[in-house]
Amino acid sequence: MNVELKERTEAGTQDVKERRVVHVATVDRGDDPPTDAREVVFDLQELSCYYGSFRAVRDISIQIHRNQITAIIGPSGCGKSTLLRSFNRMNDLVDSARVEGKVLYHGVDLYDPAIDPVEVRRRIGMVFQKPNPFPKSIYDNVAFGPKVAGFKGRKAEMDELVERSLRKAAIWDEVKDKLDTMGTALSGGQQQRLCIARAIAVEPEVILMDEPCSALDPIATLKIEELMRELKENYTIVIVTHNMQQAARASDVTAFLTMGDDRAGYLVEMAPTQQLFTSPANRLTEDYITGRFG
């Protein structure tokens, strides 16, 4: 980290609040309970993620709370997706990947050798950047996860599960008459909602979303954002996004990451979304959200 960047990182709050901050529309959360009053789902303690000898993320310590949408923002290459994938051990699928520090899920270290990563991914689902429905029917896309997990119910119970998942993903009315149609035949926005239904079908507690709207048009994007706000009543959601307007509209809490001279991503600031976008505590945050860098 060069001297200037270090000084800016440690500048604190003395004069940040006196300067004009970019006007990004944030959503009034109304009577939502404060973050501190919610149960902690994830507690990351000094987490660093490596690919071989390269450290992609360093010394991240944050908490994620139940039934909130937490957005992770920052410039390209700062390790946002790597951090997100550490929540459900998706990085394990990369041979050279390893972590230091702890990822506690309800107090349990997810990287303890005794923990089954498959069970971790059942409880903590993932929706990827590009919609990736299986080359199967809409019905079979949703039913696939429960079947793999050992679903023992009758056909009628599976039908109910599929319908319930598609309803929760706000796509049932659009596909209820064509459940035998290939999932890949749907529009991009519909495919992404199908993938959300597929994630919901295994009854996770947490849904991770890695830039889920980056390939979608504005109308489809707004549908996903509306869906996220509905889903947070029953799920905890963590989303990576390059779209600051989306973070401001859809999330309750925002974490801002950037890179040091070693190219490792690190946490600059995490705060309630409205606070971070209107009165950030750190100069680097303000410079990023006002477009001065990134």
Side-chain angles (χ1 to χ4, degrees):
M1 183 184 296
N2 61 47
V3 174
E4 178 185 2
L5 190 58
K6 185 174 182 180
E7 288 175 349
R8 291 169 65 192
T9 303
E10 298 173 349
T13 63
Q14 289 183 357
D15 64 339
V16 168
K17 294 179 182 178
E18 299 175 2
R19 297 189 298 275
R20 179 173 296 177
V21 178
V22 65
H23 295 289
V24 178
T26 56
V27 177
D28 184 358
R29 303 302 168 194
D31 296 328
D32 279 3
T35 294
D36 291 345
R38 296 174 181 267
E39 178 185 353
V40 174
V41 177
F42 289 104
D43 184 7
L44 275 60
Q45 300 177 0
E46 299 295 321
L47 179 71
S48 293
C49 302
Y50 293 82
Y51 297 108
S53 62
F54 172 64
R55 181 163 62 171
V57 171
R58 63 175 162 85
D59 301 332
I60 301 287
S61 295
I62 60 174
Q63 291 184 336
I64 306 294
H65 292 80
R66 179 185 289 277
N67 299 121
Q68 285 193 323
I69 301 172
T70 301
I72 302 173
I73 64 172
S76 296
C78 71
K80 300 185 297 297
S81 293
T82 293
L83 176 62
L84 187 74
R85 289 165 179 255
S86 72
F87 284 91
N88 72 343
R89 296 187 53 172
M90 285 295 291
N91 288 329
D92 288 11
L93 303 176
V94 180
D95 289 339
S96 62
R98 62 184 176 88
V99 301
E100 294 178 355
K102 291 186 176 181
V103 178
L104 302 181
Y105 174 67
H106 295 296
V108 176
D109 185 357
L110 293 183
Y111 286 86
D112 186 293
I115 298 297
D116 178 5
V118 175
E119 178 61 18
V120 169
R121 293 174 201 133
R122 190 197 69 76
R123 293 173 181 267
I124 306 166
M126 173 78 81
V127 176
F128 296 93
Q129 180 175 1
K130 184 178 178 181
N132 61 341
F134 299 142
K136 299 174 179 287
S137 70
I138 293 169
Y139 183 101
D140 287 340
N141 262 273
V142 180
F144 181 82
K147 287 179 179 177
V148 170
F151 182 85
K152 303 295 186 183
R154 296 170 298 176
K155 174 67 163 58
E157 292 173 313
M158 178 62 82
D159 292 346
E160 181 181 346
L161 174 58
V162 169
E163 178 178 344
R164 184 169 66 247
S165 301
L166 290 169
R167 284 188 182 278
K168 286 183 177 180
I171 193 175
W172 171 253
D173 289 339
E174 298 168 43
V175 301
K176 63 183 179 181
D177 296 323
K178 52 180 181 180
L179 294 177
D180 292 333
T181 301
M182 294 287 283
T184 51
L186 297 173
S187 69
Q190 289 175 324
Q191 286 185 25
Q192 196 63 297
R193 281 181 285 148
L194 175 60
C195 292
I196 292 171
R198 188 176 67 197
I200 290 171
V202 295
E203 300 181 340
E205 180 190 2
V206 180
I207 302 174
L208 309 177
M209 297 185 171
D210 191 358
E211 298 188 56
C213 302
S214 63
L216 305 183
D217 62 59
I219 293 175
T221 293
L222 288 174
K223 285 185 177 180
I224 296 293
E225 291 175 10
E226 291 169 1
L227 174 59
M228 288 166 55
R229 286 191 286 271
E230 294 173 6
L231 289 174
K232 80 166 187 173
E233 298 299 318
N234 297 302
Y235 305 94
T236 300
I237 298 174
V238 186
I239 178 173
V240 163
T241 180
H242 277 292
N243 186 328
M244 285 186 290
Q245 285 74 23
Q246 180 175 73
R249 287 191 303 262
S251 70
D252 302 293
V253 177
T254 299
F256 168 54
L257 274 60
T258 193
M259 283 183 292
D261 285 348
D262 60 355
R263 293 171 52 220
Y266 66 94
L267 179 69
V268 175
E269 181 175 354
M270 184 174 185
T273 295
Q274 188 167 10
Q275 175 184 324
L276 186 137
F277 278 97
T278 57
S279 56
N282 193 288
R283 180 82 62 84
L284 281 175
T285 309
E286 185 194 13
D287 286 350
Y288 181 73
I289 64 178
T290 54
R292 294 194 183 103
F293 81 94

